Amino acid sequence: MLKPLATATRDLVSLDGLWAFALDTRVGPEPWRSRLETRLEAAVPASYNDLFADQEIHDHVGLVWYQRTVRVPRGWYGERIVLRFDAATHAASVYVNDTLVATHDGGYTPFEADLTEVVAPGAEFRLTVSVDNRLTNVTIPPGKLTVGPDGKERQSYFHDFYNYAGLARSVRLYSTPPTHLTDVTVTTDIDGSTGLVAYRLATSEPAPASVRLVDETGVVVASCEGHAGTLRVEDSVLWRPGAAYLYRLEIEVHDGWQTVDTYELPVGIRTVAVRGDQFLINGEPFYFTGFGKHEDSAVRGKGHDNAYLVHDFRLLDWTGANSFRTSHYPYAEEVLEFADRHGIVVIDETAAVGLNLAVEGGLTGAPPRPTFSPETINSQTQAAHAQHLRELIDRDKNHPSVVMWCVANEPSTNEDGAREYFEPLITLTRELDPTRPVTMTTVIFATAENDRTADLVDVISLNRYYGWYVATGDLAAAEQMLEADLRGWAAKYGKPIMMSEYGADTISGLHSVTATPWTEEFQADFLAMNHRVFDRIPSFVGEHVWNFADFGTGPAIHRVDGNKKGVFTRDRKPKAAAFALRERWRGLRGRKPAPEVLRESELSASLL
């Protein structure tokens, strides 16, 4: 699905702003048929939960309604008219006047409705959207619904971040010509000093097409006719981590001598590969430094905000980070575009978090249920997961910053049924995009001995919290456990290994001269312990701290005002760990640290 652009043949109107807003419990039946009966207004883009000083809205489970009036530009006669939602968390139904024009399941990928036959240029229409935040065992992410004694639905879910909902990303109305480009796929390769840009186009109906590749100075460096081909760029400038270079692919669709549609796509020439136990970008070993992040800020929830986008990326640069993972869902397209332009490497993850009912047992105290079964995570869940993968890869396949797909976060890959669930999904991922490696992050319950899926992925990504959830506060014991764990994976699989999560909750301003959990000193010491171990593992290819910044969570008693594992506070103030990471990472700049050599006696002792 192409991102809407304003070009010589396409127009674009933003529908962001203030929309009428109401809970489904506060409006009558079929509220799309008339003006929404409410005095509330909600910002778009933003999650709705924290906008209002209203407990009922904050805790609401079920449908909410958004509505606004839209006028179609009068110059759009003869054009195709399309309504685009960048996301609606987690399911949506869209009405134009009294007509249902679109439905969508999945809270973090875009969807569209062709309005050409239901609206008229120059005229107004009533746009009404229902957004449903409910999660079940067959949604991605999964959750569980129960009914309380008051007859109201209660939502529980198996991930440790707040279930923000609503229209958290932009809404747009745009036009295209009747004959138009519908898709473009670009892959790149390198032949000596020559860059190879293979492209494939799709159009709404058969029509000639041409492309040209333009460098950053505006010079055309290659061109081609037809819907598919390969452009050769002599002495090409590569897209590199920390040194982004983007060409511009200019696409034209023709009708005889006339150009009927135009579109532009940034292109970064680079290669990504796994060879042995190394992760390679442009044929050179790459070492990930960075974070798991969240789309999370006060008041906005998961609402996209360009000011936070710029500031967060500057903080990434300040720490020396070269990468991040889109934990635990696809981020707004603007985030990936910014990463493309600034040379930040991205591991792109689906919203498949919580496929692990052992975690549910730990959070609720209830006996754990089997994760994979007809009553829990089942074939319907798998089908929803597959659709999430299709939509993620369709949206993000052309971003040079995206170097790896993450199929899921912390699933129960140690349980019966895990391989049957994940093998078809990993196969699908490779079919959709054979050019990028595939990974999943591995929960601590899954070890090198009992994991059922590690042979299926290219990179072993581990989430480990030795010294926090295990051996709490005992960093000496934690160091021994962590090293034994990592060496077990390295010995069995011989693949690149990275730490996709490691961290400790920390209260900003809490200090101690002794190793006391929750203090800033303990967080810095915890990270340093992990780094000592990482530097002793030859096949180690990266470290992503959990988390970039503190973030909002649900009302569980083990969280006070959210998850505090950020090295920055929720309003982006640095903790002591941020300075420690800056000292380490700014010296690495994408290179693996020199292995720390231990004497045989020390190595034996460390593994006891």
Side-chain angles (χ1 to χ4, degrees):
M1 183 183 295
L2 296 177
K3 183 177 180 181
L5 295 180
T7 73
T9 59
R10 297 169 174 236
D11 289 319
L12 183 63
V13 175
S14 173
L15 302 184
D16 293 352
L18 295 175
W19 294 46
F21 175 86
L23 302 184
D24 64 336
T25 55
R26 299 183 185 180
V27 293
E30 300 187 333
W32 65 87
R33 296 191 182 277
S34 62
R35 185 171 178 269
L36 203 59
E37 297 175 0
T38 181
R39 295 185 62 83
L40 295 178
E41 295 179 277
V44 175
S47 303
Y48 64 77
N49 308 80
D50 292 346
L51 294 180
F52 309 96
D54 189 315
Q55 190 73 43
E56 184 182 7
I57 294 175
H58 181 270
D59 297 341
H60 179 71
V61 176
L63 298 180
V64 299
W65 294 91
Y66 290 81
Q67 190 180 81
R68 63 162 293 165
T69 299
V70 179
R71 182 176 295 277
V72 182
R74 63 180 182 175
W76 288 9
Y77 282 102
E79 298 292 287
R80 176 172 167 264
I81 301 169
V82 186
L83 177 65
R84 156 86 169 219
F85 291 82
D86 282 353
T89 311
H90 292 276
S93 297
V94 182
Y95 301 84
V96 168
N97 297 323
D98 294 345
T99 303
L100 177 66
V101 297
T103 61
H104 184 259
D105 291 317
Y108 303 99
T109 46
F111 61 100
E112 296 182 340
D114 189 329
L115 306 186
T116 309
E117 301 301 321
V118 295
V119 300
E124 287 187 340
F125 65 88
R126 184 178 63 255
L127 175 58
T128 311
V129 185
S130 71
V131 181
D132 192 343
N133 67 351
R134 287 174 289 191
L135 300 171
T136 71
N137 66 302
V138 298
T139 64
I140 296 292
K144 182 171 67 175
L145 291 168
T146 57
V147 178
D150 57 1
K152 294 183 178 180
E153 284 187 308
R154 302 287 196 274
Q155 176 77 74
S156 60
Y157 43 90
F158 317 134
H159 54 266
D160 183 34
F161 56 95
Y162 188 74
N163 189 37
Y164 282 112
L167 297 178
R169 297 179 188 163
S170 289
V171 184
R172 301 177 177 93
L173 192 70
Y174 73 95
S175 70
T176 74
T179 300
H180 56 277
L181 183 75
T182 58
D183 191 37
V184 55
T185 302
V186 168
T187 58
T188 64
D189 204 346
I190 305 168
D191 181 12
S193 63
T194 300
L196 306 178
V197 179
Y199 72 92
R200 186 174 68 252
L201 310 179
T203 52
S204 59
E205 55 189 271
S210 62
V211 303
R212 56 181 176 265
L213 196 67
V214 181
D215 69 15
E216 289 189 351
T217 68
V219 174
V220 177
V221 296
S223 61
C224 196
E225 300 287 331
H227 280 230
T230 299
L231 302 169
R232 295 183 64 87
V233 185
E234 304 297 333
D235 298 318
S236 59
V237 182
L238 301 184
W239 187 97
R240 299 180 184 277
Y245 190 95
L246 294 176
Y247 294 86
R248 184 174 71 252
L249 188 68
E250 298 181 345
I251 304 164
E252 293 184 349
V253 179
H254 306 288
D255 182 4
W257 57 269
Q258 182 181 12
T259 298
V260 294
D261 193 19
T262 62
Y263 194 81
E264 296 179 353
L265 181 74
V267 172
I269 299 174
R270 60 102 181 98
T271 61
V272 178
V274 168
R275 185 175 64 205
D277 61 4
Q278 293 183 316
F279 192 96
L280 307 177
I281 297 180
N282 299 330
E284 300 174 353
F286 178 74
Y287 189 81
F288 295 84
T289 57
F291 302 94
K293 289 181 90 276
H294 265 300
E295 291 184 315
D296 176 275
S297 61
V299 181
R300 301 165 186 81
K302 293 198 177 303
H304 177 71
D305 184 291
N306 282 329
Y308 268 102
L309 169 66
V310 172
H311 189 55
D312 284 359
F313 270 75
R314 296 313 300 166
L315 291 177
L316 290 175
D317 181 69
W318 179 86
T319 62
N322 60 25
S323 56
F324 63 88
R325 175 168 60 110
T326 69
S327 46
H328 299 297
Y329 38 81
Y331 290 177
E333 287 174 275
E334 291 85 351
V335 177
L336 298 184
E337 291 167 342
F338 203 91
D340 290 342
R341 294 194 299 272
H342 293 271
I344 297 295
V345 171
V346 178
I347 299 173
D348 208 357
E349 185 167 281
T350 72
V353 54
L355 303 178
N356 190 325
L357 299 189
V359 173
E360 174 198 27
L363 293 175
T364 65
R369 300 178 289 162
T371 297
F372 305 100
S373 76
E375 295 74 34
T376 53
I377 304 303
N378 57 30
S379 60
Q380 289 178 270
T381 323
Q382 187 185 53
H385 196 160
Q387 186 59 27
H388 277 251
L389 283 163
R390 292 187 187 95
E391 294 185 9
L392 168 69
I393 294 172
D394 182 56
R395 193 195 74 168
D396 295 346
K397 60 188 175 183
N398 294 321
H399 289 285
S401 60
V402 175
V403 301
M404 187 157 53
W405 304 115
C406 186
V407 173
N409 179 76
E410 291 193 349
S412 286
T413 53
N414 55 302
E415 289 191 39
D416 291 342
R419 191 176 187 90
E420 292 78 3
Y421 181 90
F422 280 107
E423 188 166 14
L425 296 175
I426 293 172
T427 299
L428 173 64
T429 303
R430 297 193 197 284
E431 291 172 352
L432 293 169
D433 178 19
T435 71
R436 290 178 176 89
V438 179
T439 192
M440 291 192 295
T441 70
T442 306
V443 71
I444 198 167
F445 309 129
T447 68
E449 298 307 316
N450 67 18
D451 187 90
R452 318 290 179 89
T453 63
D455 63 302
L456 301 174
V457 299
D458 300 297
V459 175
I460 294 173
S461 299
L462 302 175
N463 293 0
R464 294 294 187 263
Y465 292 92
Y466 295 111
W468 188 251
Y469 294 121
V470 178
T472 306
D474 187 348
L475 295 183
E479 186 166 352
Q480 295 173 12
M481 293 176 183
L482 175 60
E483 184 161 357
D485 191 350
L486 298 188
R487 290 191 182 277
W489 290 95
K492 183 169 184 177
Y493 292 101
K495 296 183 177 186
I497 300 171
M498 71 175 293
M499 192 65 74
S500 41
E501 288 185 23
Y502 63 112
D505 284 274
T506 304
I507 300 296
S508 178
L510 185 63
H511 299 283
S512 175
V513 296
T514 59
T516 304
W518 293 91
T519 63
E520 293 194 41
E521 289 77 15
F522 182 84
Q523 185 183 36
D525 290 346
F526 174 96
L527 297 178
M529 176 275 291
N530 277 265
H531 298 155
R532 288 194 298 273
V533 176
F534 301 167
D535 294 350
R536 296 197 290 262
I537 308 298
S539 57
F540 212 77
V541 298
E543 52 200 59
H544 276 178
V545 172
W546 190 258
N547 192 285
F548 172 74
D550 297 343
F551 57 90
T553 60
I557 60 173
H558 67 293
R559 296 284 181 236
V560 179
D561 192 34
N563 189 305
K564 300 296 187 185
K565 291 189 182 68
V567 303
F568 296 96
T569 62
R570 200 180 190 199
D571 61 351
R572 280 41 175 189
K573 300 296 189 299
K575 303 175 187 176
F579 294 92
L581 289 173
R582 173 182 165 87
E583 182 176 356
R584 173 177 170 83
W585 288 348
R586 290 178 73 87
L588 297 181
R589 291 299 185 185
R591 296 183 297 274
K592 166 73 175 171
E596 179 183 329
V597 179
L598 292 181
R599 293 191 302 273
E600 184 176 347
S601 59
E602 292 174 323
L603 177 59
S604 299
S606 71
L607 297 178
L608 292 178

